[in-house]
Amino acid sequence: MFWEALGSAVLGLVLALAAVRWLPSRLPDRVLVLGTGTAAALLGGVITRIVLGTGHSLVTLSVAAAVSAAILSLLLGNVRPPVTFRPEVAPRPRVP
């Protein structure tokens, strides 16, 4: 149980670090992302372990990675990309 939980937490941390590295402008604060990824993977791994029982380490780690990725993807929508301003163009006059 301890090694599966530790493996799930490390896997979530690795996924969070990868997300911070690849999408730094679309994610909120780095500490929030790292904590969320780790906690989500740990929670997903523990719940899977409770549901399936012992002897399913690969499935437990796979579900932990999926839960971590799903929760991290929810953080992507909270930060909007910077807005670029374009000069307004006057509308074309209508010709009767």
Side-chain angles (χ1 to χ4, degrees):
M1 169 78 180
F2 173 74
W3 293 110
E4 286 179 354
L6 182 65
S8 296
V10 169
L11 188 60
L13 183 62
V14 168
L15 284 172
L17 282 170
V20 166
R21 183 177 174 110
W22 287 332
L23 302 167
S25 63
R26 296 196 54 202
L27 288 168
D29 188 34
R30 181 179 182 184
V31 175
L32 175 68
V33 173
L34 295 178
T36 301
T38 305
L42 186 59
L43 182 65
V46 168
I47 289 174
T48 305
R49 166 75 181 212
I50 290 170
V51 170
L52 295 179
T54 60
H56 301 283
S57 298
L58 187 60
V59 175
T60 301
L61 292 176
S62 299
V63 171
V67 170
S68 179
I71 298 299
L72 286 173
S73 72
L74 294 175
L75 291 177
L76 287 174
N78 290 339
V79 177
R80 294 183 182 194
V83 178
T84 57
F85 293 102
R86 293 184 296 183
E88 291 189 28
V89 178
R92 293 171 50 178
R94 288 185 164 185
V95 177

